[in-house]
Amino acid sequence: MKVLYISNGLTHYYNRVLSRLNREPGLELTVVSPANPSAYIGQGVHLTRAGADFPVIELPETRRFWMYSTFSGLARVLMRTKPDVVIVIESYLWTFLLDLPTIVAMKRLGARLILKTIPFRLLPFQDAERQIRDSADGFSRLPPAVNRLLHASGIAKGIKLLRLAMHKRALSRPDAHVNYVEAKALWATYGVNSEKIFVTGNSPDTDLLFSVKESLLNAAPLLPPNPRRLLHVGRLVEWKRVDMLIRVFARLRPRYPDMELVIVGDGPEEPGLKKLADERGLGTSVRFVGGVYDPRLLAQYYLAAGVYVLAGMGGLSINEAMCFGLPVLCSIWDGTEKVLVREGINGRFFKDGDEEDFVLKLSWFLEHPELMREMGRKSEAIIRDEVNIHTVIRGYMDALDYVRRK
């Protein structure tokens, strides 16, 4: 089976996932990636071809009629590669609804379409419709005076409702959906049949991580042992809320003078975060180590930590931390954490954006080192037994088998 995967960029972690998928018997994977910086890749995301064991075709990302994004030459690539199935992320879904050359190519090939998405920001259709009807907002690109006129005339709401209806049509276009989390009730509001929905879970290549961990068992530790060493891994961007993590750390450190915080990652917030740490007089108790993409070095930081902490939006770093036997403290974000982190079992949740609750829950961890170690063991068991690279590949293969049968 030939599969064309349309991505918004080559990331070091997902390259390994797609490479594993490409190694499935009878499957031949090719990836389309933006030749220019994508409008749909997060700020500071590390892009690389490392770990990409599959052909890559780079095409210019382009915006059509201020309505949707696609790739120049995508139809020609379709006709040249002749995929049986196309997997697309939501950013480019409208291409398959509005771009005539792409639509014709898909029909000529008889290719099936699978949508890969994380629908945590998508409102149920009725709620999205109600929000538009109740809102007085206009369009960010237009002057305020024009927006007032469009709102008063009802044109703004009409345009937004039309776009919502088109998006509903686009979301019902794919032959199957693959999601990180269960979302059948949400998709039902957009007219998507539940049999089309497949849950992959969200995971890096856990086999690689466990192999690296095994190779380090007898190695000298990167840092001296400290059960009160906190670890954060991720881009230093606003929505990660590392500033709140530093403030909470500063409040607790007088009570726990042996506390340490290691921050792995880089990004536009780094200068301000370093300044905040200096202003709080944290000195060497806070360590900024920059972006780390070598699996072995990153593993050493995980193994040197006592607890993994996320103040804001997380990602695959939760999975990674659990692979290395760490308990997790986080809040609610894209839904991945709801699957992986179990309150009081292998981690704890604090109220989103609530600094006081963050302090309370983190101090609980610091007071219970034995429970932290037991939680860490349960974290690793969840990854080994429930959510790992094998569940991701199985979810993809179930979706591919489904559209092939159809």
Side-chain angles (χ1 to χ4, degrees):
M1 179 190 297
K2 290 185 176 181
V3 177
L4 187 70
Y5 187 99
I6 301 177
S7 76
N8 58 344
L10 300 174
T11 57
H12 66 286
Y13 52 88
Y14 219 72
N15 286 350
R16 297 189 184 107
V17 174
L18 293 178
S19 293
R20 287 294 299 269
L21 182 62
N22 191 37
R23 292 202 291 271
E24 286 294 298
L27 195 148
E28 183 181 329
L29 180 74
T30 301
V31 172
V32 169
S33 182
N36 48 316
S38 174
Y40 302 101
I41 199 76
Q43 190 177 24
V45 170
H46 178 61
L47 298 175
T48 177
R49 289 206 180 197
D53 185 20
F54 45 77
V56 176
I57 299 172
E58 292 189 343
L59 295 176
E61 182 183 285
T62 183
R63 188 84 175 159
R64 297 270 170 83
F65 312 113
W66 299 282
M67 292 182 66
Y68 68 98
S69 292
T70 186
F71 291 93
S72 298
L74 179 59
R76 291 192 297 274
V77 167
L78 286 167
M79 295 308 299
R80 186 173 76 246
T81 58
K82 294 180 170 53
D84 301 294
V85 180
V86 175
I87 301 175
V88 65
I89 64 170
E90 191 174 349
S91 307
Y92 310 113
L93 177 60
W94 280 42
T95 298
F96 298 87
L97 183 70
L98 298 177
D99 190 70
L100 185 58
T102 300
I103 294 169
V104 170
M106 291 287 287
K107 286 188 177 295
R108 287 183 62 185
L109 294 168
R112 300 299 184 181
L113 183 67
I114 294 177
L115 174 64
K116 172 189 174 282
T117 187
I118 318 171
F120 74 102
R121 286 179 174 161
L122 184 68
L123 291 173
F125 180 79
Q126 293 80 2
D127 292 349
E129 192 175 44
R130 188 180 306 112
Q131 186 180 75
I132 291 171
R133 295 188 187 280
D134 294 344
S135 174
D137 293 340
F139 301 96
S140 59
R141 295 184 179 183
L142 297 180
V146 175
N147 275 323
R148 285 194 294 271
L149 178 62
L150 291 175
H151 174 69
S153 65
I155 294 174
K157 287 184 181 179
I159 292 172
K160 291 182 178 182
L161 289 170
L162 176 61
R163 186 173 180 85
L164 177 63
M166 291 177 66
H167 196 50
K168 180 179 181 180
R169 176 70 187 89
L171 290 172
S172 63
R173 160 70 181 86
D175 300 287
H177 290 233
V178 290
N179 298 163
Y180 286 172
V181 294
E182 176 59 65
K184 289 183 178 180
L186 173 63
W187 288 123
T189 70
Y190 287 85
V192 180
N193 192 311
S194 62
E195 73 169 13
K196 293 183 174 184
I197 300 166
F198 298 85
V199 178
T200 64
N202 189 20
S203 176
D205 187 346
T206 48
D207 286 352
L208 171 66
L209 296 180
F210 283 131
S211 174
V212 172
K213 180 181 179 181
E214 186 72 23
S215 73
L216 290 169
L217 290 181
N218 297 318
L222 182 67
L223 300 172
N226 183 355
R228 288 181 173 157
R229 182 177 292 123
L230 317 181
L231 177 67
H232 167 90
V233 178
R235 290 174 287 145
L236 302 184
V237 289
E238 184 178 358
W239 56 89
K240 299 285 186 178
R241 293 178 176 170
V242 183
D243 57 330
M244 182 165 71
L245 172 57
I246 292 173
R247 290 196 301 271
V248 168
F249 179 85
R251 289 176 60 177
L252 287 173
R253 192 162 182 271
R255 198 188 315 172
Y256 307 101
D258 58 340
M259 278 180 70
E260 294 179 68
L261 172 59
V262 176
I263 297 173
V264 177
D266 49 27
E269 298 291 304
E270 184 172 353
L273 295 172
K274 287 181 174 178
K275 181 180 179 183
L276 176 62
D278 288 342
E279 289 172 348
R280 298 300 171 104
L282 298 175
T284 58
S285 66
V286 176
R287 188 186 306 233
F288 291 85
V289 301
V292 177
Y293 305 105
D294 174 68
R296 187 176 177 87
L297 179 57
L298 185 58
Q300 290 176 296
Y301 281 113
Y302 280 119
L303 290 171
V307 59
Y308 186 70
V309 183
L310 278 175
M313 183 179 291
L316 290 172
S317 61
I318 295 177
N319 307 63
E320 292 174 348
M322 289 172 63
C323 279
F324 292 98
L326 290 179
V328 179
L329 175 60
C330 63
S331 60
I332 298 296
W333 277 94
D334 70 0
T336 302
E337 71 289 332
K338 295 179 184 178
V339 177
L340 293 171
V341 183
R342 290 89 191 264
E343 176 67 34
I345 304 298
N346 73 308
R348 299 205 66 181
F349 292 98
F350 66 92
K351 295 175 185 176
D352 182 28
D354 188 329
E355 190 169 309
E356 297 303 319
D357 194 44
F358 194 177
V359 169
L360 182 67
K361 299 295 170 56
L362 181 53
S363 61
W364 181 91
F365 275 99
L366 299 172
E367 290 287 347
H368 298 90
E370 287 298 326
L371 284 176
M372 283 169 56
R373 282 190 283 272
E374 178 59 26
M375 283 182 161
R377 286 190 284 270
K378 290 176 179 175
S379 280
E380 183 176 342
I382 290 169
I383 297 297
R384 288 190 183 276
D385 300 337
E386 299 181 40
V387 183
N388 50 54
I389 186 63
H390 302 284
T391 61
V392 172
I393 299 303
R394 184 164 62 246
Y396 271 115
M397 293 307 297
D398 287 347
L400 290 166
D401 287 342
Y402 170 81
V403 298
R404 179 167 52 184
R405 291 196 308 271
K406 291 293 181 179

